[in-house]
Amino acid sequence: MADSEGEKKRVVVIGGGVAGSLIARSLQDEANVTLIDMKEYFEIPWAALRSMCDPSFAKRAVFSHSEYLPHGNVITSAAANITDTEVVTAKGDKVAYDFAVIATGHSETGAYTKDEKFSQYQTDHQKIKSASSILIIGGGQTGVELAAEIAVDYPDKKVTIVHRGSMLLEFIGESASNKVVHWLKSRKVEIILGQSVDVNSAKDGVYKTSGGQTIDAECHFICIGKPIGSGWLKETVLKGSLDIHGRLMVDSDLKVKGRSNVFGIGDITDIPELKLGYLAQRHAGITAKNIRLLMKNANDNNLNVYKPALPLSLIALGKKEAVAQFYCLSCIGRLPGMIKSGDLFVGRTRKQLGLLSELQ
């Protein structure tokens, strides 16, 4: 989409996760798109736990940004600052923008190259494979899905979940949570609620909970929430656009409050809904439409509005089963598993980014 002088508008996307990758892909032929991400690759996040148990799965779920962004620019660096006119990276690049999209989700550490990520999966796989007992700290979606993957693939291993909350999967209803607890316990997974574990105090494979219980485990995985990826914004022109939780405040058209050409999408936003991948993709779709409208007419006031989604949750329980929650209704087993658990939406996500669903 060219301006009156025939030059494409400059769109800078900060963050190459679920939302950032999709909007960069969507606009690369109509604008001069630059993607800034600290990693050289995109990882389909809901495939990560399967990749820990089966590293070969990662070959389809991890790919370079350049694969889906052949007509865009990729800068491998963290963002350090944003002004009214440009984004500054930690490496010192200064990238001018007509539109900026902030999609830095949650803070990430380590594995900045594909090779490092594949190596990390191999290491995790060896830990799981060689251990007879495994401790999982955190009973949200990540902890539950990892426990389920291990319980299905390695039914002889002793798996223990320790969760500080009063129920697993607190974001879904009690009925669905109870179904998952029953499913896990039927596969001999031990669940300890209302307690935490200090892994640094573990000695000789013995972990102690805050309630005084001891757990024998040959390895552990920490599956608790990551910090919101907004720390880099706190000393920028957008510091006043962060709420008390560090989330980026956005209007219904997904523009950052008080800004006409800066958008916020994905988990970093203050939208009152569950932070789920398919919702981040919806943010990207709405924002791409709005930027196209603004590239045609900077004064367009008829932008698309994002409406927080209905509460639909799907939690994979190994390769064939899952639990689904929609409003107050829940079901568990093969039927919801047919929707998600086999491929974990990897083929679909690859197609959305213009890639073949299967490797050639």
Side-chain angles (χ1 to χ4, degrees):
M1 198 69 64
D3 62 18
S4 58
E5 297 180 352
E7 293 182 356
K8 289 182 176 181
K9 294 293 187 182
R10 301 161 299 180
V11 177
V12 177
V13 180
I14 306 105
V18 173
S21 62
L22 187 55
I23 193 168
R25 155 76 186 171
S26 301
L27 295 174
Q28 65 176 333
D29 293 324
E30 302 156 78
N32 184 350
V33 172
T34 298
L35 175 69
I36 298 172
D37 189 51
M38 61 201 313
K39 308 183 307 298
E40 69 172 22
Y41 62 88
F42 171 64
E43 173 189 22
I44 300 174
W46 43 87
L49 305 172
R50 177 76 48 83
S51 297
M52 289 169 65
C53 292
D54 178 9
S56 66
F57 196 75
K59 293 177 181 177
R60 292 173 58 237
V62 177
F63 40 86
S64 299
H65 291 308
S66 57
E67 290 184 52
Y68 66 85
L69 207 57
H71 304 141
N73 309 303
V74 179
I75 297 176
T76 305
S77 174
N81 191 18
I82 183 170
T83 71
D84 293 329
T85 58
E86 66 184 10
V87 178
V88 182
T89 74
K91 295 197 304 187
D93 305 283
K94 294 183 178 180
V95 189
Y97 67 84
D98 297 300
F99 299 96
V101 182
I102 299 171
T104 44
H106 290 89
S107 298
E108 298 285 346
T109 55
Y112 300 118
T113 69
K114 276 202 307 182
D115 286 344
E116 288 172 348
K117 192 63 188 180
F118 290 140
S119 177
Q120 185 182 82
Y121 282 139
Q122 288 288 352
T123 299
D124 288 338
H125 174 62
Q126 287 302 320
K127 278 175 64 176
I128 293 168
K129 190 176 178 181
S130 62
S132 61
S133 52
I134 299 166
L135 170 62
I136 294 174
I137 300 164
Q141 183 163 355
T142 302
V144 166
E145 289 195 342
L146 179 57
E149 290 284 340
I150 296 170
V152 168
D153 286 0
Y154 301 98
D156 294 332
K157 296 187 185 298
K158 172 61 178 172
V159 179
T160 303
I161 299 175
V162 177
H163 182 55
R164 68 168 64 243
S166 59
M167 59 182 264
L168 296 183
L169 301 168
E170 287 148 314
F171 63 92
I172 66 175
E174 188 174 356
S175 173
S177 176
N178 289 339
K179 287 181 172 73
V180 171
V181 168
H182 177 76
W183 188 95
L184 290 169
K185 287 185 174 179
S186 73
R187 285 153 183 82
K188 301 177 183 177
V189 175
E190 183 181 357
I191 300 167
I192 299 173
L193 298 174
Q195 299 186 49
S196 57
V197 175
D198 178 9
V199 296
N200 295 318
S201 63
K203 189 174 182 181
D204 298 325
V206 178
Y207 298 79
K208 185 172 287 188
T209 73
S210 56
Q213 287 183 246
T214 57
I215 301 165
D216 292 318
E218 294 178 15
C219 70
H220 72 268
F221 293 96
I222 298 175
C223 299
I224 57 177
K226 299 174 183 175
I228 299 166
S230 62
W232 69 281
L233 292 169
K234 292 180 179 177
E235 300 300 326
T236 73
V237 294
L238 297 183
K239 61 185 177 183
S241 300
L242 299 174
D243 68 12
I244 59 172
H245 304 293
R247 297 196 182 279
L248 195 59
M249 295 184 287
V250 295
D251 292 320
S252 60
D253 55 14
L254 299 181
K255 284 190 288 193
V256 174
K257 287 189 181 295
R259 296 280 157 176
S260 61
N261 65 337
V262 182
F263 292 80
I265 60 176
D267 287 0
I268 196 173
T269 66
D270 69 337
I271 299 171
E273 63 184 4
L274 294 177
K275 303 305 178 183
L276 300 172
Y278 79 96
L279 299 181
Q281 291 171 331
R282 286 188 60 210
H283 298 180
I286 292 286
T287 300
K289 290 178 181 178
N290 286 341
I291 289 177
R292 288 188 186 104
L293 291 172
L294 292 170
M295 287 193 294
K296 288 180 181 177
N297 176 9
N299 298 314
D300 195 331
N301 292 317
N302 296 312
L303 298 184
N304 295 275
V305 170
Y306 178 79
K307 296 177 181 178
L310 298 174
L312 169 64
S313 299
L314 269 172
I315 294 95
L317 298 172
K319 295 181 175 68
K320 295 182 178 179
E321 297 184 83
V323 62
Q325 168 87 25
F326 184 67
Y327 282 109
C328 58
L329 302 175
S330 65
C331 65
I332 192 169
R334 293 290 184 98
L335 184 59
M338 290 170 65
I339 301 172
K340 177 180 181 180
S341 300
D343 189 54
L344 297 175
F345 303 130
V346 168
R348 175 182 168 187
T349 305
R350 287 177 62 88
K351 283 183 178 179
Q352 284 178 306
L353 291 171
L355 303 176
L356 295 173
S357 60
E358 299 292 337
L359 296 176
Q360 297 299 299

